Amino acid sequence: MRDPGRSLLVPLLLLLLLSLNPLSLTARPFFLILSQDDLKDVAAASPDKLLGSADGDEFGDSEFRPEEELDPGSWRPMFESAEPLTVGSEPEELYYSGVSKMMAAASSGEGRLMEEAMAEFEASAAAGYAHAQSALGFLYGTGQMRERSKGKAFLYRHFAAEGGNMQSKMALAYSYMRQDMYEKAVKLYAELAEVAVKSLLITKDSPFREPIRIHNGAEENKEALRKSRGEDDEDFQILEYHAQKGNAIAMYKVGLFYYLGLRGLRPDHTKALSWFLKAVEKGEPRSMELLGEIYARGAGVERNYTKAFEWLKLASRQQLYSAYIGMGYLHVKGYGVEKNYTKAKEYFERAADNEEAGGHYNLGVMYLKGIGVKRDAKLACKYFIAAANAGQPKAFYRLAKMFHTGVGLKKNLAMATTLYKLVAERGPWGSLSRWALESYLKGDVGKAFLLYSRMAELGYEVAQTNAAWILDKYGERSVCIGEAGFCTDAERHQRSRYLWWEASEQGYEDFDSKVESDKCENEGNYMAQR
């Protein structure tokens, strides 16, 4: 296995995963330039820096965890639950009743419902329920049914975050980052990124379901919306027809769409498993690999590492080199096979030699932690750079941690914060985008606006432009709720300008001139209240 460091150029150019992933239809390129100075030798770190809890994303427990566990207090029951919601306490009941009424108010524009939702959130929050406090932070931050208050929004977000609400942690981290308070931002984003990587796949690189930009500046983005209609999309229906007729590639693709929740489909592991099993009957190797992934994680099936290894081995015999990543993982952990670091390293090297980014990444983990090899943080960094250049998302997490701790890379909290944020945005709270898009496609513009506004608070640039565009495009039909019912024209204009401005800060360029022209007004009238 050749040392990837020998081929590195100075400066080192990393093109971040958002611009590399073909499934990220509207991503903005992000460039990270590393100089040789960033790679200079640093003081040896204590073991806890190298082996902290956040280092368990790859060689820790691979068990599949549903999104509601990773994102407590999520609004998922309002959108995806097929069964009646069961609650365990009065504050929880008040919270979900408030969420239900808030969604209804967003669809209908009834101020009475929003006022009732606000009252229920306040009662729940007074009892110490963190998720209700998070909702109040959002509503005070945007000025819905109460006077906009920067102080109250911060306090509610802070208490919610202390109580375990992940979305308030996102909102706080984004707020700190905007103020260049990197010491505080980096700690929150590190925790959020750790949660996000737990949902990533073992073998394949998980595609990033970035929020779809519903506009292209002035007009609706009809092409992107057409490809996001899920089972109603004509292209998907044609693909499913061919799968039903026995086309193995179509079977694999339909299974993949359901497994990962792509093209507007909701994740459905049962359907994914069914299609993968049909595809492997026809010898489709990529489905073999994903069956190995499914059994290793226990995603929709009982975990079975022996079956996982068997499927991965079959896939590898079909020259599917990414399957070696999963095989190496099982040997590192001793799951379904005897623990063997030497063999694990050989599998990772086979994957890396065949340009599989996960192979480089896992070799980096071995050298970072000293698993079966002599610990070498600098060599680990070079492997992570090789993986990052190929768009491996976990590699960005590792590089962020290196910038954060000063292990292998020169300590740089601003860079660490930026990289952690991009990984954190892959977390389960990103489902807000799916629900917002579904609402928009169904013509429920008000609910779409509310959901995009929530995402905007968490720092998602695409959501910020989507919410602003809805305000400008639909006017009163946006069902914008202000301090005393429907937004006035002034409130709607002010909110729209601020959203465009936030997006502009993050690199969105189409409305720079509009944002700049309103800068003084925003600073005087809006920022003072944030």
Side-chain angles (χ1 to χ4, degrees):
M1 175 69 188
R2 66 179 174 85
D3 180 353
R6 294 177 186 171
S7 62
L8 295 175
L9 300 177
V10 181
L12 299 165
L13 176 63
L14 302 184
L15 183 59
L16 220 55
L17 63 100
L18 294 183
S19 58
L20 285 169
N21 197 308
L23 292 167
S24 182
L25 299 176
T26 57
R28 294 175 293 109
F30 183 98
F31 295 93
L32 169 62
I33 305 295
L34 296 183
S35 70
Q36 203 62 41
D37 183 59
D38 291 308
L39 293 168
K40 73 177 185 179
D41 292 330
V42 294
S46 58
D48 63 317
K49 280 192 174 182
L50 290 171
L51 303 173
S53 63
D55 284 333
D57 61 293
E58 181 60 34
F59 294 153
D61 192 351
S62 65
E63 183 174 3
F64 171 77
R65 294 177 62 190
E67 290 186 355
E68 51 268 27
E69 287 186 20
L70 298 174
D71 184 22
S74 164
W75 297 344
R76 186 165 287 100
M78 304 297 106
F79 294 94
E80 297 185 10
S81 178
E83 301 178 357
L85 177 66
T86 57
V87 296
S89 65
E90 183 179 358
E92 183 180 16
E93 182 177 4
L94 284 169
Y95 168 67
Y96 278 110
S97 174
V99 173
S100 180
K101 290 177 180 178
M102 181 172 65
M103 295 300 169
S107 296
S108 66
E110 291 188 45
R112 174 187 58 82
L113 285 174
M114 185 62 89
E115 183 60 56
E116 290 177 7
M118 192 74 170
E120 289 179 342
F121 289 146
E122 288 174 334
S124 179
Y129 195 65
H131 309 315
Q133 293 167 342
S134 178
L136 287 175
F138 166 58
L139 295 175
Y140 272 109
T142 50
Q144 299 187 57
M145 302 311 298
R146 295 290 186 275
E147 183 178 357
R148 187 180 296 110
S149 171
K150 178 181 179 180
K152 288 183 179 179
F154 174 82
L155 285 175
Y156 279 122
R157 290 168 184 158
H158 172 76
F159 288 125
E162 289 288 309
N165 184 276
M166 304 305 286
Q167 294 186 28
S168 280
K169 290 182 182 182
M170 280 287 285
L172 278 178
Y174 175 57
S175 176
Y176 288 139
M177 182 180 179
R178 292 188 68 209
Q179 300 173 69
D180 297 335
M181 298 170 66
Y182 295 116
E183 287 279 358
K184 293 186 175 181
V186 75
K187 291 179 182 178
L188 288 167
Y189 274 132
E191 180 183 349
L192 293 157
E194 179 186 354
V195 172
V197 297
K198 288 179 180 178
S199 64
L200 302 181
L201 304 188
I202 298 169
T203 56
K204 304 290 289 184
D205 293 343
S206 304
F208 179 29
R209 298 189 295 272
E210 186 183 11
I212 298 297
R213 204 181 300 278
I214 62 176
H215 62 94
N216 54 23
E219 300 297 331
E220 188 176 73
N221 192 350
K222 296 186 182 299
E223 181 63 15
L225 294 176
R226 183 186 66 79
K227 294 179 179 179
S228 305
R229 294 184 178 274
E231 293 176 341
D232 294 330
D233 176 36
E234 184 178 340
D235 289 346
F236 176 78
Q237 292 171 355
I238 293 172
L239 181 69
E240 190 175 38
Y241 170 80
H242 287 295
Q244 291 168 346
K245 290 296 183 180
N247 184 294
I249 295 176
M251 291 175 178
Y252 159 72
K253 288 184 177 179
V254 171
L256 183 68
F257 287 175
Y258 277 117
Y259 186 51
L260 299 176
L262 305 177
R263 296 292 293 263
L265 293 170
R266 291 187 177 182
D268 189 322
H269 294 140
T270 301
K271 288 184 179 179
L273 180 65
S274 175
W275 282 115
F276 290 149
L277 288 170
K278 291 176 182 178
V280 297
E281 289 178 2
K282 295 180 176 291
E284 210 293 312
R286 292 170 295 181
S287 295
M288 297 175 189
E289 180 186 19
L290 283 166
L291 283 172
E293 175 84 36
I294 285 172
Y295 279 107
R297 299 180 74 208
V301 297
E302 184 177 351
R303 277 173 106 178
N304 188 320
Y305 291 119
T306 301
K307 280 188 177 182
F309 184 77
E310 289 172 353
W311 282 118
L312 291 168
K313 190 172 183 179
L314 285 173
S316 70
R317 288 175 177 172
Q318 300 286 330
Q319 294 187 320
L320 197 66
Y321 299 111
S322 54
Y324 286 122
I325 301 167
M327 294 168 69
Y329 167 81
L330 294 176
H331 277 87
V332 165
K333 298 298 294 182
Y335 289 159
V337 293
E338 184 178 350
K339 182 179 290 189
N340 189 321
Y341 295 149
T342 300
K343 188 167 285 188
K345 183 171 178 283
E346 290 175 357
Y347 283 133
F348 294 148
E349 286 175 342
R350 287 187 199 179
D353 284 340
N354 287 278
E355 300 182 354
E356 288 292 338
H360 288 292
Y361 170 78
N362 285 287
L363 287 169
V365 174
M366 294 190 80
Y367 279 101
L368 180 68
K369 296 185 175 184
I371 299 175
V373 296
K374 183 179 179 180
R375 182 179 294 164
D376 189 331
K378 195 167 184 178
L379 181 56
C381 180
K382 292 177 181 178
Y383 278 116
F384 293 145
I385 289 171
N389 274 321
Q392 223 290 347
K394 293 180 183 178
F396 292 101
Y397 172 74
R398 291 294 179 180
L399 291 171
K401 191 167 184 64
M402 286 180 153
F403 277 122
H404 185 186
T405 61
V407 175
L409 286 170
K410 186 177 180 180
K411 190 169 184 178
N412 185 328
L413 294 187
M415 187 66 73
T417 300
T418 298
L419 293 177
Y420 276 141
K421 179 179 186 287
L422 289 164
V423 178
E425 287 182 346
R426 299 173 66 104
W429 34 88
S431 292
L432 286 161
S433 175
R434 183 169 70 243
W435 309 328
L437 184 61
E438 287 178 359
S439 299
Y440 183 82
L441 291 172
K442 291 176 182 177
D444 193 340
V445 177
K447 188 178 292 184
F449 171 68
L450 178 76
L451 292 166
Y452 281 133
S453 295
R454 174 62 162 176
M455 286 194 79
E457 177 195 31
L458 309 189
Y460 287 83
E461 177 268 322
V462 174
Q464 290 165 353
T465 73
N466 284 349
W469 186 81
I470 287 174
L471 283 172
D472 291 345
K473 178 72 173 180
Y474 290 93
E476 292 185 358
R477 287 180 56 202
S478 67
V479 196
C480 169
I481 302 294
E483 295 179 5
F486 273 125
C487 284
T488 64
D489 289 343
E491 285 177 316
R492 196 163 51 246
H493 173 79
Q494 193 177 67
R495 197 175 297 181
S496 167
R497 296 314 91 184
Y498 187 75
L499 287 163
W500 287 124
W501 189 14
E502 282 188 312
S504 177
E505 286 182 339
Q506 299 199 73
Y508 185 73
E509 298 177 352
D510 284 7
F511 281 78
D512 272 355
S513 59
K514 181 184 290 189
V515 171
E516 187 65 28
S517 67
D518 287 337
K519 187 172 182 179
C520 293
E521 177 185 348
N522 285 337
E523 287 180 331
N525 300 332
Y526 200 104
M527 286 295 290
Q529 301 177 55
R530 294 285 287 189

